[in-house]
Amino acid sequence: MIFDIGRIVVKTKGRDANKPAVVVDVLDNNYVLIDGFTRRRKCSITHLEPLDKIIKIKKNEKTETIKELLK
């Protein structure tokens, strides 16, 4: 699956558009939980653009840790 835990993505829709985030959890085939320079929230995969980078994180990692890894 393209949207694995740790995948760096860019939000393309909504208030957090054009901000980087990381997939923290895969909820089902259409939704993932993202966090980073966006708000931690459930997001449709149609509103995300996956990048070719993956960082090593644990499922449901803390926001502060994710922001440090994205820098």
Side-chain angles (χ1 to χ4, degrees), residues 14-64:
R15 183 167 117 183
D16 294 326
N18 300 320
K19 293 184 181 177
V22 176
V23 176
V24 179
D25 193 7
V26 178
L27 303 176
D28 60 28
N29 290 335
N30 297 318
Y31 291 96
V32 293
L33 185 69
I34 61 168
D35 197 6
F37 293 108
T38 63
R39 296 168 288 157
R40 179 179 284 237
R41 64 181 310 145
K42 176 180 172 182
C43 184
S44 171
I45 61 173
T46 60
H47 295 171
L48 300 172
E49 180 180 328
L51 301 179
D52 58 350
K53 295 184 180 182
I54 297 177
I55 56 175
K56 289 219 176 228
I57 62 167
K58 293 180 276 182
K59 188 174 182 178
N60 295 319
E61 188 73 68
K62 291 182 180 179
T63 302
E64 296 82 30

